[in-house]
Amino acid sequence: MNQTPFAILLAVAVALAAAVSGHASTQQSAPPIIPKGAKLDIDPTEQIDFTGWWSNGSVLLQVRSDGSFLLWDQPNRYREPTKRGRWHRQNYRTFWIEPYFDPKTPGNAPPRTRCALRRTDGVLLLDMGDAIGLAQSATPPVAPEDAHVGKWNGPGGTLDLRSDGSYALTAAPLPNSAAQPSVLSGRWTFDGKVIQLFRGEERDAPLRCVPVTRPTRPSADGSVSSETVALTTPIGELRRLPTNSKDAVK
């Protein structure tokens, strides 16, 4: 049978449409290509403990196991925290921190901050609002105050400089006095030259203690081989007690 040119063109068009439709159907049904051994940066089955110290060298965050947190806008934990508050877990890689009070917004509920974990080149990092790349550590970053932490003793009393930034200064009573030892407490800092003892919430008139070097006691031949650090304080000069010493004033 002879076909008209129109019929031939129609048959060709139908065949082409069928071929294109079949090819498209084959493309749509093809399974996605998944790299062999692909793994999420953080596996949802991982048991990650959020508690501990987090720092990127500019900010410092302590996430405590009791549900509280401390945040500093600089890396020295001996300074007064910028924010205090509570935290709660959202999922396996995210938690939120909520300050108790924000001096920038008095009378308003402080805004929460989202803290999200990620793993980069095998290292677990935390992004907290504008602060990114905080690394976790079991211990806080080293601070200048660490060199002076301990108990110091002298005739005038004792000074306990603690690693949590608090202190207790105990002034011994005068000889033959029935008075009880006087105790002062608060927070302390060290600026590289002077130790400052802040009394409670007072910040305008701290007590000053200055580290000084003193020669050790001379040996039998009269030579002095080394130096030791002492503190000049409002209760006199103090020397550091060995870690196994008792706190009693001698």
Side-chain angles (χ1 to χ4, degrees):
M1 180 186 297
N2 294 329
Q3 294 181 329
T4 63
F6 176 76
I8 294 174
L9 291 175
L10 180 61
V12 172
V14 170
L16 289 174
V20 172
S21 176
H23 180 66
S25 176
T26 301
Q27 282 187 325
Q28 293 175 357
S29 61
I33 299 176
I34 301 177
K36 185 178 181 180
K39 184 180 179 181
L40 298 174
D41 62 340
I42 298 180
D43 193 313
T45 62
E46 287 188 64
Q47 299 295 322
I48 299 177
D49 185 4
F50 297 154
T51 60
W53 297 89
W54 297 85
S55 178
N56 63 359
S58 299
V59 298
L60 178 63
L61 172 69
Q62 184 187 21
V63 180
R64 296 175 165 179
S65 58
D66 63 359
S68 65
F69 79 87
L70 297 175
L71 175 65
W72 293 262
D73 59 4
Q74 46 76 39
N76 191 329
R77 73 185 186 281
Y78 290 93
R79 305 295 190 265
E80 188 70 21
T82 308
K83 294 180 181 179
R84 305 169 182 264
R86 55 181 175 269
W87 69 275
H88 68 274
R89 178 189 293 266
Q90 178 179 342
N91 53 42
Y92 69 98
R93 66 182 302 165
T94 305
F95 65 95
W96 292 79
I97 59 174
E98 182 177 349
Y100 293 136
F101 172 74
D102 188 349
K104 296 181 180 179
T105 58
N108 299 324
R112 300 187 305 161
T113 300
R114 182 175 180 268
C115 301
L117 297 181
R118 59 182 168 89
R119 183 173 280 115
T120 301
D121 297 331
V123 179
L124 195 65
L125 299 174
L126 174 70
D127 295 334
M128 177 184 60
D130 295 335
I132 62 174
L134 282 74
Q136 188 180 30
S137 173
T139 58
V142 175
E145 285 84 350
D146 290 329
H148 301 290
V149 170
K151 296 180 179 180
W152 301 75
N153 180 53
T158 60
L159 174 61
D160 185 5
L161 300 176
R162 305 181 183 117
S163 60
D164 64 357
S166 65
Y167 77 88
L169 178 68
T170 303
L174 296 174
N176 302 321
S177 172
Q180 296 296 316
S182 175
V183 180
L184 188 67
S185 62
R187 298 192 62 82
W188 70 282
T189 63
F190 178 59
D191 62 6
K193 294 182 178 180
V194 178
I195 293 174
Q196 299 186 87
L197 307 180
F198 296 99
R199 293 169 282 188
E201 296 301 321
E202 189 176 344
R203 292 293 179 269
D204 56 346
L207 300 177
R208 294 164 55 89
C209 304
V210 181
V212 294
T213 55
R214 295 284 187 256
T216 57
R217 293 182 178 179
S219 57
D221 60 3
S223 63
V224 176
S225 58
S226 62
E227 294 181 331
T228 187
V229 175
L231 290 181
T232 60
T233 75
I235 60 174
E237 188 166 294
L238 307 178
R239 299 289 182 97
R240 194 199 304 265
L241 288 168
T243 55
N244 59 352
S245 295
K246 296 183 180 181
D247 299 340
V249 178
K250 297 179 180 180

